[in-house]
């Protein structure tokens, strides 16, 4: 017997000695669950999928769009690759800014992946030249970081000392 079983035996023996075997048996039967005990993991509700649905990446979204212009599709694919690499619309704030500029409701936007389809559907409505300008101009590109700002402050402080 294990330590746990030995401990249970001692407890049951004390209960039987105090209350009698029949009384303890009836008490245990009242406690017995009617159904099989639930497993430690919670079962998913029947109306839910077994696995959470994976969100499409931007390249897959562009691939699923029905576009007639091959050049436009190529430009969207380039932007989608940059989007997946987080060099185009890298932050949630930039995704919100883009969609707000396009007139979309952004009140529920919590992540970039949540709005990938919405962003590229809107971009699919743009002309190829405008997409090219967006790519060349670095619109919605990540910030350069704090290095240029730190250098500007340092240069300003150096000029004041002279």
């Amino acid at each position: 017997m294990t330590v746990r079983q030995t401990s249970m035996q001692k407890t049951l023996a004390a209960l039987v000695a105090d209350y009698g075997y029949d009384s303890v048996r009836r008490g245990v039967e009242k406690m017995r669950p009617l159904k099989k005990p639930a497993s430690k993991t919670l079962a998913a509700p029947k109306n839910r999928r077994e696995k959470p649905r994976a969100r499409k990446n931007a390249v897959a979204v562009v691939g699923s769009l029905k576009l007639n212009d091959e050049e436009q599709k190529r430009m969207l694919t380039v932007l989608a690759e940059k989007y997946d690499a987080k060099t185009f619309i890298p932050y949630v704030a930039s995704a919100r800014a883009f969609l707000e500029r396009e007139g979309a409701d952004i009140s529920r936007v919590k992540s970039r992946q949540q709005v990938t389809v919405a962003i590229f559907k809107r971009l699919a409505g743009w002309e190829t030249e405008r997409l090219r300008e967006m790519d060349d101009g670095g619109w919605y590109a990540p910030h350069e970081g704090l290095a240029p700002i730190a250098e500007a402050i340092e240069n300003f402080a150096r000029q004041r000392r002279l």
Side-chain angles (χ1 to χ4, degrees):
M1 269 199 273
T2 65
V3 174
R4 189 172 181 184
Q5 289 173 333
T6 306
S7 175
M8 184 176 66
Q9 286 287 10
K10 287 180 183 178
T11 305
L12 284 173
L15 287 171
V16 168
D18 288 344
Y19 299 102
Y21 179 80
D22 289 331
S23 181
V24 172
R25 185 182 51 78
R26 283 192 304 268
V28 170
E29 285 176 354
K30 285 181 184 177
M31 290 180 2
R32 183 183 306 162
L34 298 175
K35 294 182 181 178
K36 203 167 143 180
S39 66
K40 291 183 180 181
T41 59
L42 296 175
K46 291 183 181 180
N47 60 351
R48 302 278 314 223
R49 295 175 184 228
E50 289 295 320
K51 293 182 183 176
R53 183 174 31 167
R55 297 199 188 271
K56 289 183 177 179
N57 65 12
V59 175
V61 169
V62 170
S64 69
L65 294 174
K66 295 179 181 174
L67 300 170
N68 295 330
D69 186 3
E70 287 301 316
E71 182 63 21
Q72 181 188 27
K73 191 163 191 162
R74 189 188 67 73
M75 278 307 305
L76 283 172
T77 304
V78 167
L79 290 173
E81 289 169 352
K82 289 183 177 186
Y83 183 88
D84 288 338
K86 292 190 176 183
T87 57
F88 171 65
I89 307 182
Y91 313 110
V92 176
S94 39
R96 289 173 63 94
F98 174 78
L99 290 172
E100 185 175 42
R101 184 172 167 232
E102 291 295 306
D105 177 27
I106 59 165
S107 62
R108 294 187 163 190
V109 174
K110 304 292 181 213
S111 70
R112 289 174 69 249
Q113 290 74 27
Q114 178 186 9
V115 293
T116 303
V117 174
I119 289 172
F120 283 94
K121 279 186 177 179
R122 293 197 184 265
L123 288 174
W126 288 20
E127 295 177 10
T128 307
E129 188 57 39
R130 190 172 176 198
L131 292 171
R132 192 173 290 114
E133 287 175 13
M134 176 182 268
D135 185 35
D136 293 341
W139 300 358
Y140 299 101
H143 302 293
E144 294 294 322
L146 298 178
I149 297 170
E151 288 176 20
I153 292 171
E154 186 178 309
N155 290 337
F156 180 77
R158 195 175 300 137
Q159 288 175 353
R160 290 191 73 179
R161 281 185 256 153
L162 295 177

